[in-house]
Amino acid sequence: MKPLFSLDSVVSSIAIPVNPAQIRIRAGEKEGVWIDGERTVKVIAVQESATLEESTKQIGSFLNDEAMPALVTLNDEGIPTGIISSHQLFAAFLTLVQNQSVLLGTLMDTMSEAVTIVDSRNVVQHWNRAAQTIYKIDRSKVIGTSLDEHFASESIRLLDALRQGTSVQRVYHIPRPDSHVLINAAPIRLEGRIIGAISIEQDITELVRLNEELAHTTAHLHNLQQEMSRFQAADDPFYAIKGHSASIQSAISSAKKVAQTDATVLIYGESGVGKELFAKAIHQASRRREKPFIAINCGAIPAALFESELFGYQGGAFTGAEKKGKPGKLELAHGGTLFLDEIGELPLELQVKLLRALQERQFYRVGGTEPISVNTRIVAATNRQLEQMVFDGRFREDLYYRLNVFSLEVPPLRERSEDLPELVQIFIHEYSVTHEQSVPRIASEVMQALFDYSWPGNIRQLRNVIERLSILQENGVILPEHLPSVIRSHSNESLPPAIVSKGTAFSPAIASRPLPHSLYAPEPASTERERIVAALERTYGNKKAAAELLGMSRGTLYNKMRKYNINEGSFGWG
């Protein structure tokens, strides 16, 4: 028997074919018998078009205590306490089903999203009021018909739920050329068997239409922005750091405050997040802006040459040295700022010398005998966990505390995905000007693939990818095949045909919202636990500071600590 989803289903849908000669009903009467071999069964006549509700009420009126046994209720001692006739039980069951049916209908018609329920044959069982409005199809014309009669089979996401048992959450979908929705779809299971499927669709057609209008003004706005940037950059040293997410704005706010002081700054962040941009902006926003900003990469210079690069050398100090000697980076940055990038790569023996120079504010050139005094501000940066390196004996604890006067965390790109549309637009316009070509449109599935990717190389990697796309674009359109294979492999294979096929571009309005749940992989529990533990270690158990560092509320932090069984005492916090 096929699954039933409504009391409005007709009884003929569950009837078993029978030989009319087996049925005996006198003319004009409703009652008779069914002769099934040696068995005689009492029957009540109903029309084929009668609903389940009508037929159930009719058979209930014929129930009595002689036809079916009554139920007697017993207390714990086995003493009878009540009686329930078969008619009462049947009536209660029918009332329960009627109430649930009305509740379901009211719930679906109250929803602003389109709701569709089909049975295992893809025949529509429920089609709510919002579905009528979005798709302009009356309920009476849909219920009882196959969904294939109204939509192309390849555009029906419910078929995946029916045939493969797969679910989707907030996936962008184009069921019709003029309709754009975010769809949730799932199979309906009974004892492990799929008996139907349900979809809930949020209409975003208007947002897509607005995007088409917005796309026509993007190039003009960019030109205006370029003109404005020449003036804004002079007024705001942090203008070059793009993004309006809460995490990046929080980092910028902290950097602006510390820039007004001479405090040593330690910038944490993954490779490619823009640590040097922050260091330069801090210098430009400080009182030292008129003095030099000198950068040195501690991981790019061989250890044997690093000391002479940092401190300089006296004339004739070693073979090949210039006769007049050479000042080091620390000396060149006198009065200004010295940026020590990748400080975690500095060898231990050089860490001692750097610490002495920072503490005493003077040093000796290699081969020199006269001390050189400097007034240099230090800004250091690393993508390593210095606290762990201190614990492992790979970084001096005294140098760590000397550098870590003020720590600044620059968030990775995957934690500020809402900034992705802005960054993409900036880079795509930048490279369009560089390559002397018109600004290309970006297919929606390309942008979705960029969202799906985790960006281990952060902003630097994104910039490189956008330059590649601007080079490979065809006829003013960037397509999925232009993406690097590593990004394509992360993209969701269920994405719909590109909006760009209609001549539209990617919508920043749509993309700036949080991504659909199913479209990016949730952070593994082990990774999240490690981040929480690292934050608590960095803040020495200060949960308020750790929560701010993680970008979550203190209550959420407490809940996650309980979830991952993070015991404060095990870290020596007391």
Side-chain angles (χ1 to χ4, degrees), residues 363-436:
F363 60 92
Y364 294 87
R365 287 183 177 182
V366 175
T369 57
E370 295 294 327
I372 299 175
S373 298
V374 291
N375 175 18
T376 302
R377 182 182 192 177
I378 301 297
V379 177
T382 183
N383 59 8
R384 308 282 292 274
Q385 292 294 333
L386 294 187
E387 301 94 330
Q388 185 62 43
M389 293 181 67
V390 169
F391 180 80
D392 295 338
R394 292 179 293 129
F395 199 88
R396 290 186 61 91
E397 184 176 16
D398 43 8
L399 177 59
Y400 168 69
Y401 288 119
R402 182 73 185 181
L403 295 173
N404 195 31
V405 175
F406 186 94
S407 62
L408 181 67
E409 185 90 18
V410 181
L413 182 56
R414 64 178 174 277
E415 293 182 5
R416 44 182 289 222
S417 57
E418 60 265 46
D419 289 334
L420 197 62
E422 178 183 355
L423 293 169
V424 169
Q425 290 299 321
I426 290 171
F427 296 155
I428 203 72
H429 281 82
E430 177 184 321
Y431 289 119
S432 296
V433 172
T434 301
H435 301 148
E436 297 183 351

Side-chain angles (χ1 to χ4, degrees), residues 279-563:
K280 288 180 178 178
I282 289 172
H283 171 74
Q284 290 297 326
S286 73
R287 296 186 294 268
R288 299 172 177 262
R289 67 178 68 89
E290 302 298 331
K291 297 297 183 177
F293 174 86
I294 304 295
I296 182 170
N297 191 312
C298 302
I301 301 174
L305 301 179
F306 188 86
E307 186 175 0
S308 61
E309 281 293 317
L310 183 61
F311 301 121
Y313 55 83
Q314 200 67 21
F318 52 86
T319 303
E322 293 185 13
K323 293 182 179 180
K324 296 181 180 180
K326 180 181 177 182
K329 303 293 187 184
L330 191 58
E331 187 176 346
L332 292 173
H334 175 63
T337 302
L338 176 65
F339 176 51
L340 300 172
D341 198 9
E342 304 300 344
I343 189 67
E345 307 302 323
L346 191 63
L348 276 170
E349 61 272 17
L350 293 177
Q351 292 177 25
V352 179
K353 296 181 179 181
L354 174 61
L355 175 63
R356 184 180 302 116
L358 296 181
Q359 288 176 335
E360 299 175 1
R361 291 186 173 271
Q362 64 178 22
F363 60 92
Y364 294 87
R365 287 183 177 182
V366 175
T369 57
E370 295 294 327
I372 299 175
S373 298
V374 291
N375 175 18
T376 302
R377 182 182 192 177
I378 301 297
V379 177
T382 183
N383 59 8
R384 308 282 292 274
Q385 292 294 333
L386 294 187
E387 301 94 330
Q388 185 62 43
M389 293 181 67
V390 169
F391 180 80
D392 295 338
R394 292 179 293 129
F395 199 88
R396 290 186 61 91
E397 184 176 16
D398 43 8
L399 177 59
Y400 168 69
Y401 288 119
R402 182 73 185 181
L403 295 173
N404 195 31
V405 175
F406 186 94
S407 62
L408 181 67
E409 185 90 18
V410 181
L413 182 56
R414 64 178 174 277
E415 293 182 5
R416 44 182 289 222
S417 57
E418 60 265 46
D419 289 334
L420 197 62
E422 178 183 355
L423 293 169
V424 169
Q425 290 299 321
I426 290 171
F427 296 155
I428 203 72
H429 281 82
E430 177 184 321
Y431 289 119
S432 296
V433 172
T434 301
H435 301 148
E436 297 183 351
Q437 62 188 23
S438 59
V439 179
R441 295 191 302 271
I442 305 176
S444 59
E445 57 266 67
V446 172
M447 199 65 202
Q448 190 61 65
L450 298 180
F451 268 114
D452 293 341
Y453 190 55
S454 59
W455 298 107
N458 294 290
I459 309 297
R460 183 187 297 118
Q461 184 186 12
L462 175 63
R463 179 184 283 276
N464 294 341
V465 168
I466 296 303
E467 183 173 17
R468 168 196 170 95
L469 296 179
S470 68
I471 293 172
L472 296 179
Q473 58 94 11
E474 298 175 6
N475 301 319
V477 180
I478 295 174
L479 299 172
E481 53 264 33
H482 301 146
L483 288 165
S485 58
V486 67
I487 297 180
R488 285 203 306 272
S489 66
H490 283 76
S491 64
N492 192 312
E493 296 180 357
S494 64
L495 286 174
I499 300 178
V500 76
S501 63
K502 291 180 58 185
T504 62
F506 172 74
S507 168
I510 296 175
S512 63
R513 296 196 308 271
L515 274 178
H517 171 73
S518 67
L519 294 185
Y520 62 126
E523 183 177 34
S526 60
T527 303
E528 186 176 45
R529 188 183 193 282
E530 291 169 1
R531 287 180 56 239
I532 293 172
V533 170
L536 288 168
E537 288 178 342
R538 181 174 297 173
T539 58
Y540 302 97
N542 186 321
K543 286 177 280 297
K544 180 180 179 182
E548 292 176 355
L549 190 63
L550 292 164
M552 63 179 67
S553 68
R554 190 158 30 168
T556 300
L557 176 61
Y558 278 116
N559 291 335
K560 289 185 179 290
M561 288 177 66
R562 285 194 293 269
K563 175 182 176 181

Side-chain angles (χ1 to χ4, degrees), residues 82-246:
I83 194 79
I84 305 172
S85 69
S86 56
H87 178 77
Q88 286 176 295
L89 185 62
F90 199 78
F93 177 77
L94 178 59
T95 299
L96 173 63
V97 176
Q98 288 174 320
N99 291 344
Q100 290 184 337
S101 179
V102 171
L103 174 61
L104 176 62
T106 304
L107 175 64
M108 289 200 300
D109 279 343
T110 305
M111 296 178 66
S112 58
E113 294 86 0
V115 180
T116 306
I117 298 177
V118 299
D119 62 19
S120 55
R121 300 176 302 160
N122 199 32
V123 173
V124 180
Q125 301 296 319
H126 286 286
W127 180 262
N128 74 339
R129 188 174 297 146
Q132 291 184 118
T133 302
I134 292 175
Y135 296 114
K136 307 292 190 297
I137 307 176
D138 190 78
R139 189 181 330 210
S140 60
K141 296 180 180 180
V142 179
I143 292 180
T145 65
S146 174
L147 211 53
D148 294 323
E149 297 180 20
H150 309 281
F151 300 89
S153 296
E154 62 272 13
S155 70
I156 304 176
R157 297 306 304 270
L158 275 179
L159 292 181
D160 294 337
L162 279 177
R163 296 170 181 172
Q164 303 169 20
T166 57
S167 300
V168 296
Q169 292 286 327
R170 293 183 62 79
V171 172
Y172 173 69
H173 184 45
I174 308 178
R176 284 182 165 181
D178 59 346
S179 299
H180 305 268
V181 300
L182 291 178
I183 180 173
N184 297 339
I188 301 172
R189 299 179 186 272
L190 178 64
E191 297 178 350
R193 180 170 57 93
I194 296 176
I195 64 172
I198 182 172
S199 73
I200 302 175
E201 301 169 22
Q202 179 185 356
D203 186 17
I204 59 171
T205 305
E206 184 65 15
L207 288 175
V208 175
R209 185 188 66 78
L210 291 173
N211 163 66
E212 293 179 1
E213 297 177 5
L214 183 62
H216 294 297
T217 63
T218 302
H220 179 61
L221 287 175
H222 179 70
N223 291 334
L224 293 176
Q225 287 173 345
Q226 284 185 320
E227 291 296 318
M228 293 173 60
S229 66
R230 291 188 300 143
F231 302 99
Q232 291 178 329
D235 296 335
D236 183 7
F238 291 88
Y239 180 76
I241 303 171
K242 304 300 181 182
H244 291 85
S245 62

